[in-house]
Amino acid sequence: EVPYNANIKIKPFMSAEPIVKVFDLDDKQWVEDDVLVIASDGLWERCSNNKVGHILRDKLRSLSVSEPHRYTVAAQSLIAEARGSLGSHGWRMSSNESASYDDISVFVIS
């Protein structure tokens, strides 16, 4: 609740205590086109692993391998999908589902 003002509910804010997960990537089979996506819940609460994979595949196929900002553009495409666009029924993703109102951070690493 907002201090000094009863009955006003707000979303919880970012915690100062991070959630840290460690993954051993050495035991995975990697191919040249594989990427690692690290993102905040603003993306993952709106986009499934499959949806993220499809968006990345389509975006990376449309960009030249020599494009210096290739992975930045791919990350921006994921953010744009989760953020959606403003229409007559509020912010919506391309699937017409509600878009994220959360912060969205995305890293696409080759």
Side-chain angles (χ1 to χ4, degrees):
E1 291 186 6
V2 175
Y4 312 111
N5 199 343
N7 297 323
I8 297 178
K9 304 288 185 191
I10 58 174
K11 287 176 65 175
F13 289 97
M14 190 179 305
S15 168
E17 296 181 30
I19 298 171
V20 177
K21 295 182 181 181
V22 178
F23 298 95
D24 185 0
L25 300 178
D26 290 334
D27 64 349
K28 304 295 182 214
Q29 296 289 328
W30 294 94
V31 296
E32 186 176 342
D33 292 340
D34 283 346
V35 295
L36 176 65
V37 177
I38 301 173
S40 66
D41 62 342
L43 176 72
W44 298 120
E45 288 177 354
R46 291 289 161 222
C47 296
S48 67
N49 290 343
N50 284 338
K51 184 171 195 135
V52 166
H54 289 295
I55 292 169
L56 283 177
R57 183 194 64 219
D58 293 346
K59 182 51 68 176
L60 292 174
R61 283 183 180 168
S62 73
L63 297 168
S64 168
V65 176
S66 63
E67 165 61 46
H69 303 290
R70 187 171 192 237
Y71 298 103
T72 301
V73 172
Q76 289 171 339
S77 296
L78 293 173
I79 292 168
E81 175 61 25
R83 183 189 61 223
S85 58
L86 184 59
S88 59
H89 298 288
W91 288 90
R92 297 286 189 191
M93 297 188 325
S94 63
S95 63
N96 203 33
E97 296 173 74
S98 294
S100 179
Y101 287 94
D102 200 352
D103 61 313
I104 308 167
S105 298
V106 177
F107 294 91
V108 176
I109 303 166
S110 168

Short mmCIF file of all heavy atoms in Angstrom, two decimals, residues 2 28 32 34 45 64 80-81 87 108:
data_model
loop_
_atom_site.label_atom_id
_atom_site.label_comp_id
_atom_site.label_asym_id
_atom_site.label_seq_id
_atom_site.Cartn_x
_atom_site.Cartn_y
_atom_site.Cartn_z
N VAL A 2 0.33 2.31 -0.50
CA VAL A 2 1.04 3.58 -0.50
C VAL A 2 1.07 4.12 0.94
O VAL A 2 0.03 4.15 1.61
CB VAL A 2 0.33 4.60 -1.42
CG1 VAL A 2 0.99 5.96 -1.33
CG2 VAL A 2 0.31 4.09 -2.85
N LYS A 28 26.10 -28.88 -23.00
CA LYS A 28 25.07 -28.74 -24.03
C LYS A 28 25.69 -28.90 -25.42
O LYS A 28 26.86 -28.58 -25.65
CB LYS A 28 24.40 -27.36 -23.95
CG LYS A 28 23.79 -27.05 -22.60
CD LYS A 28 22.66 -27.98 -22.27
CE LYS A 28 22.06 -27.60 -20.93
NZ LYS A 28 21.57 -28.70 -20.18
N GLU A 32 26.24 -23.58 -34.61
CA GLU A 32 26.65 -22.22 -34.95
C GLU A 32 25.52 -21.18 -34.81
O GLU A 32 25.75 -20.06 -34.40
CB GLU A 32 27.19 -22.18 -36.37
CG GLU A 32 27.77 -20.85 -36.77
CD GLU A 32 28.38 -20.89 -38.16
OE1 GLU A 32 28.65 -21.98 -38.66
OE2 GLU A 32 28.57 -19.81 -38.72
N ASP A 34 22.96 -21.19 -32.70
CA ASP A 34 22.36 -21.09 -31.38
C ASP A 34 22.64 -19.75 -30.74
O ASP A 34 23.70 -19.15 -30.94
CB ASP A 34 22.90 -22.19 -30.46
CG ASP A 34 22.29 -23.54 -30.73
OD1 ASP A 34 21.26 -23.61 -31.43
OD2 ASP A 34 22.86 -24.54 -30.25
N GLU A 45 6.85 -13.35 -19.04
CA GLU A 45 5.44 -13.44 -18.64
C GLU A 45 4.49 -13.25 -19.81
O GLU A 45 3.31 -13.54 -19.70
CB GLU A 45 5.14 -12.42 -17.53
CG GLU A 45 5.77 -12.81 -16.21
CD GLU A 45 5.55 -11.79 -15.11
OE1 GLU A 45 4.99 -10.70 -15.39
OE2 GLU A 45 5.94 -12.08 -13.97
N SER A 64 21.46 -9.84 -42.31
CA SER A 64 22.73 -10.38 -42.78
C SER A 64 23.60 -10.77 -41.60
O SER A 64 23.61 -10.10 -40.56
CB SER A 64 23.45 -9.31 -43.62
OG SER A 64 24.78 -9.69 -43.86
N ALA A 80 9.74 -5.41 -28.51
CA ALA A 80 8.60 -4.82 -29.22
C ALA A 80 7.39 -5.75 -29.16
O ALA A 80 6.25 -5.29 -29.00
CB ALA A 80 8.98 -4.52 -30.67
N GLU A 81 7.62 -7.06 -29.26
CA GLU A 81 6.50 -8.00 -29.19
C GLU A 81 5.86 -7.98 -27.81
O GLU A 81 4.64 -7.91 -27.69
CB GLU A 81 6.97 -9.41 -29.54
CG GLU A 81 5.91 -10.48 -29.37
CD GLU A 81 4.67 -10.29 -30.25
OE1 GLU A 81 4.78 -9.64 -31.32
OE2 GLU A 81 3.60 -10.80 -29.89
N GLY A 87 -3.62 0.22 -29.10
CA GLY A 87 -4.78 0.19 -29.97
C GLY A 87 -6.01 0.67 -29.22
O GLY A 87 -5.92 1.19 -28.11
N VAL A 108 20.41 -10.88 -26.23
CA VAL A 108 20.54 -12.02 -27.14
C VAL A 108 22.03 -12.15 -27.39
O VAL A 108 22.67 -11.24 -27.91
CB VAL A 108 19.76 -11.79 -28.45
CG1 VAL A 108 20.00 -12.95 -29.41
CG2 VAL A 108 18.27 -11.62 -28.17
#
